[in-house]
Amino acid sequence: MQVTVTVNGTTGSHDVETRMLLVHYLREVRGLTGTNVGCDTTSCGACTVLLNGESVKSCTMLAAQADGEEITTIEGMAAPDGTLHPIQEAFREHHGLQCGFCTPGMVMAIASFLKEHPDPTEAEVREGLEGNLCRCTGYHNIVQAALAVARAGELVS
Amino acid sequence: MIPASFEYRRAGSVEEALGWLAEDPDSTKLLAGGHSLLPLMKLRLATPGVLVDVGRIPGLNYVRDDGDHVAIGALTRHRDLEVSDVARGHVPLLAHVAGQVGDPQVRHRGTIGGSLAHGDPASDLPAAVLALDGTMVVDGPRGRREVQAADFFRGFLETALAPDEMLTEVRVHKAPAGWGFQKFNRRAQDWAIVGVAAVVNGDARVALVNMGPTTLRARATEEALDAGANIADAAARAAEGLDPPSDLNGSAEYRRHLATVLVRRALEEATAARG
Ligand SMILES: Cc1cc2nc3c(=O)[nH]c(=O)nc-3n(C[C@H](O)[C@H](O)[C@H](O)COP(=O)(O)OP(=O)(O)OC[C@H]3O[C@@H](n4cnc5c(N)ncnc54)[C@H](O)[C@@H]3O)c2cc1C
Ligand code: FES
Ligand code: FES
């Protein structure tokens, strides 16, 4: 079937199998390999992208369901000149990653979370990231990064 | 994991969805949020020939104050229910429970209609709707009918919905106070090992998550309360007559024990909230 999806502001139309998952569409058809597949069972959050601004797990959505919608992936976060998005900058500053595998999903989940909770407590950040697993960091610095962005009030477009 | 091939159709209205369902109800599945169906399809535990995507049918995502009850459109996402002012004000149990489902990403996609229609005994919203004595509004080729929650959940992944019907609305009586909800799990984001939704407004209704093949009422506890027992004595009977599953998260015996503890806590919460 034909799907037309706007990804990071660029609209593209492609003929895909109806059973193609959104994450495979992003990686294989659109060539955007920043979105990772971790568990493939809706648990780890590595595949998190924004659907019309809200976090979703792209391993549990069909490309067909994104037809006509707007998707933002990690590649859409930094400015065109390479300036990091405030969330990415906070991850760098607070050492919010080690291997980096969970990071794209974490950044997208935080972008959505901060839009819904502009002034969160630490406990709210931890609960808000319950859909994202990290095998390396112990979460502490990820939570600090999210709190730093919220405190700086540099919100998230 | 990739689902088996299927034909995909996106419905623009309930009538269109019902028309497509009627063509071949046994191999056609409605797709709402996809957060129960797609995982099953990826594991090839479900292999529908046709998927009718109802997710974008306009006008079915609402939480409406209808006087003595609140009406919720079947396509209302968990997140929208969680933050709805109408739900928070008139049926806070439902708003609270919607906020306990899975994780934020799951709540952005999953719908109340999908959750109820799927009929999973481990799901939270069916227990809340059962405790609130809700009514399901069902549309199909034979017209519209209403099914009480008490008659809706039939067995494991089995509800009163016929294969050619669609759930379009859920109605619950207003219950601004006198409710409690307990969900016990060991990892963030997990399903309940056992859960309890309780509503105490004159009479008491206590619904259980994961204590049998489907969402169930703790009848022995309810009868004890009606007969004047105190909370502790009534809660001690929570697992009477029930046959909960044993799995990696806990044995049947452990679940029976949990049910008594969680029912007591939910009833204490409900009566404390009532003041
Ligand atoms: C990682 C993860 C964690 C989760 N954790 C929890 C949890 O803690 N608690 C909990 O309660 N749930 C949990 N869920 C399930 C979640 O709530 C689902 O969203 C919900 O069970 C199904 O809703 P859906 O809209 O996604 O339905 P779908 O997956 O689209 O559909 C489910 C079934 O219902 C049918 N259906 C859907 N809508 C209708 C309708 N209107 N009329 C008739 N039939 C219909 C479909 O044909 C299908 O058979 C979790 C899911 C995931 C992936
Ligand atoms: S890959 Fe999608 S949640 Fe893990
Ligand atoms: S940094 Fe390695 S999984 Fe999170």
Side-chain angles (χ1 to χ4, degrees), chain A residues 1 17-21 24 39-45 48 51 54-57 59-69 105 109 112-113 116-117 127-133, chain B residues 1-8 10 31-36 38-39 41-44 51 53 55-56 77 79-80 82 99-109 187-190:
Chain A
M1 70 178 287
E17 270 196 85
T18 55
R19 60 180 173 165
M20 178 174 256
L21 300 173
H24 295 137
C39 64
D40 207 3
T41 56
T42 335
S43 304
C44 74
T48 301
L51 166 69
E54 288 185 330
S55 58
V56 298
K57 293 178 172 176
C59 72
T60 311
M61 231 185 112
L62 301 170
Q65 291 174 288
D67 180 35
E69 310 281 25
S112 176
F113 170 80
E116 292 170 354
H117 306 82
E127 290 232 337
L129 294 179
E130 70 179 315
N132 294 73
L133 304 182
Chain B
M1 295 177 296
I2 316 279
S5 295
F6 52 83
E7 187 187 332
Y8 173 91
R10 186 178 303 132
L31 177 71
H35 269 51
S36 290
L38 290 176
M41 289 174 63
K42 287 172 70 179
L43 293 167
R44 311 259 173 138
L51 269 195
D53 187 352
R56 286 197 231 167
R77 310 259 175 207
R79 169 73 189 169
D80 295 330
E82 177 187 356
Q100 301 297 307
V101 173
D103 57 44
Q105 290 95 320
V106 171
R107 297 196 288 272
H108 286 146
R109 293 297 295 159
R187 293 176 308 194
Q189 174 209 66
D190 253 357

Side-chain angles (χ1 to χ4, degrees), chain A residues 41-44 57 60 65, chain B residues 21 28-40 46 51-54 60 73-78 97 100-103 106-107 109-120 122-126 137-139 152 157 159 161-163 165-169 183 185 189-192 209:
Chain A
T41 56
T42 335
S43 304
C44 74
K57 293 178 172 176
T60 311
Q65 291 174 288
Chain B
L21 261 186
T28 305
K29 275 278 175 198
L30 300 180
L31 177 71
H35 269 51
S36 290
L37 185 53
L38 290 176
L40 289 178
L51 269 195
V52 173
D53 187 352
V54 296
L60 281 183
L75 291 176
T76 305
R77 310 259 175 207
H78 304 325
V97 172
Q100 301 297 307
V101 173
D103 57 44
V106 171
R107 297 196 288 272
R109 293 297 295 159
T111 67
I112 188 168
S115 207
L116 298 169
H118 193 54
D120 187 334
S123 285
D124 301 308
L125 283 164
V137 180
V138 175
D139 284 288
F152 188 77
L157 304 188
T159 69
L161 286 169
E165 290 182 314
M166 176 170 168
L167 176 62
T168 48
E169 188 178 272
K183 176 174 181 172
N185 56 19
Q189 174 209 66
D190 253 357
W191 301 74
V209 180

Side-chain angles (χ1 to χ4, degrees), chain A residues 3-150:
Chain A
V3 295
T4 302
V5 187
T6 302
V7 183
N8 303 329
T10 307
T11 303
S13 275
H14 299 89
D15 192 29
V16 301
E17 270 196 85
T18 55
R19 60 180 173 165
M20 178 174 256
L21 300 173
L22 177 60
V23 68
H24 295 137
Y25 171 77
L26 294 170
R27 290 177 59 89
E28 290 160 23
V29 179
R30 302 298 289 260
L32 297 167
T33 53
T35 304
N36 287 330
V37 178
C39 64
D40 207 3
T41 56
T42 335
S43 304
C44 74
C47 66
T48 301
V49 300
L50 304 184
L51 166 69
N52 303 322
E54 288 185 330
S55 58
V56 298
K57 293 178 172 176
S58 60
C59 72
T60 311
M61 231 185 112
L62 301 170
Q65 291 174 288
D67 180 35
E69 310 281 25
E70 285 197 24
I71 301 291
T72 311
T73 68
I74 190 67
E75 288 91 342
M77 295 302 272
D81 70 357
T83 307
L84 293 181
H85 185 278
I87 299 174
Q88 293 172 307
E89 184 56 37
F91 267 66
R92 193 192 63 73
E93 178 66 26
H94 293 271
H95 197 60
L97 64 151
Q98 288 178 25
C99 80
F101 192 85
C102 70
T103 313
M106 285 285 181
V107 169
M108 304 320 285
I110 290 171
S112 176
F113 170 80
L114 288 178
K115 219 186 277 179
E116 292 170 354
H117 306 82
D119 187 20
T121 63
E122 178 173 337
E124 285 169 341
V125 172
R126 288 181 182 274
E127 290 232 337
L129 294 179
E130 70 179 315
N132 294 73
L133 304 182
C134 176
R135 300 302 296 266
C136 304
T137 64
Y139 301 100
H140 181 79
N141 289 348
I142 294 173
V143 174
Q144 295 312 308
L147 285 170
V149 179

